[in-house]
Amino acid sequence: MLLSPSKKFLILVLASLLILPMPAAIATPIDPCLLREESFGFTIDDYAIEHQDWAILNIAVDFRYVDQPTAQRSNYINFVPLAAEIERFLREYPNETDYWEIMNRNLAESIFADHPQMSALKVKLDIVKSSGEEPYSRHSVVSLTRDQGCPLTQ
């Protein structure tokens, strides 16, 4: 029996569909970090500090919450006491000669250790004015993510 060219083509197409593996996009599970992200941020502007003589800081804090099945008050952080905690840390920081990066890392690690509701944290210190001889504005950014945690995506 002879098959027409169009029937041969149809048989080849159908046969190729049967032997091709499934596309990876269909077989790959979705990263749970992409399913839901709850994050929060705040700033403390024009914060005067005695560090490396004196400086004015703008502080930005962003964090991602650990994913929870339900929204309950205990899973969230009141940022007002957190801001006060940051100000207290800066006011009481023991080594005035540490680089800004060292102070910021110590600050971020302290916040992260005290708040298990955070999956990830980013603290940015903008040093906008200082009494030093540097004519430059500068900044330090520290980002932390817990083991098996989801990072900030912003």
Side-chain angles (χ1 to χ4, degrees), residues 63-106:
F63 54 90
R64 180 175 182 157
Y65 285 106
V66 171
D67 191 31
Q68 299 291 334
T70 60
Q72 296 177 20
R73 189 175 180 92
S74 62
N75 297 334
Y76 295 90
I77 299 166
N78 181 344
F79 85 95
V80 175
L82 177 56
E85 186 180 318
I86 291 168
E87 290 181 13
R88 183 174 47 258
F89 179 93
L90 295 174
R91 190 173 48 252
E92 296 173 0
Y93 192 75
N95 191 348
E96 283 193 31
T97 60
D98 272 355
Y99 291 132
W100 292 105
E101 299 95 310
I102 294 170
M103 184 176 75
N104 192 23
R105 180 173 173 171
N106 291 333

Side-chain angles (χ1 to χ4, degrees), residues 91-130:
R91 190 173 48 252
E92 296 173 0
Y93 192 75
N95 191 348
E96 283 193 31
T97 60
D98 272 355
Y99 291 132
W100 292 105
E101 299 95 310
I102 294 170
M103 184 176 75
N104 192 23
R105 180 173 173 171
N106 291 333
L107 171 62
E109 288 176 348
S110 173
I111 294 168
F112 210 44
D114 291 343
H115 298 281
Q117 307 96 316
M118 294 179 182
S119 173
L121 169 69
K122 180 171 77 172
V123 179
K124 181 178 182 184
L125 296 183
D126 282 314
I127 301 93
V128 292
K129 294 180 186 175
S130 70

Side-chain angles (χ1 to χ4, degrees), residues 113-151:
D114 291 343
H115 298 281
Q117 307 96 316
M118 294 179 182
S119 173
L121 169 69
K122 180 171 77 172
V123 179
K124 181 178 182 184
L125 296 183
D126 282 314
I127 301 93
V128 292
K129 294 180 186 175
S130 70
S131 61
E133 296 178 16
E134 303 88 5
Y136 311 105
S137 293
R138 50 214 184 275
H139 64 270
S140 167
V141 178
V142 174
S143 297
L144 302 169
T145 302
R146 295 198 193 283
D147 290 341
Q148 309 301 317
C150 296

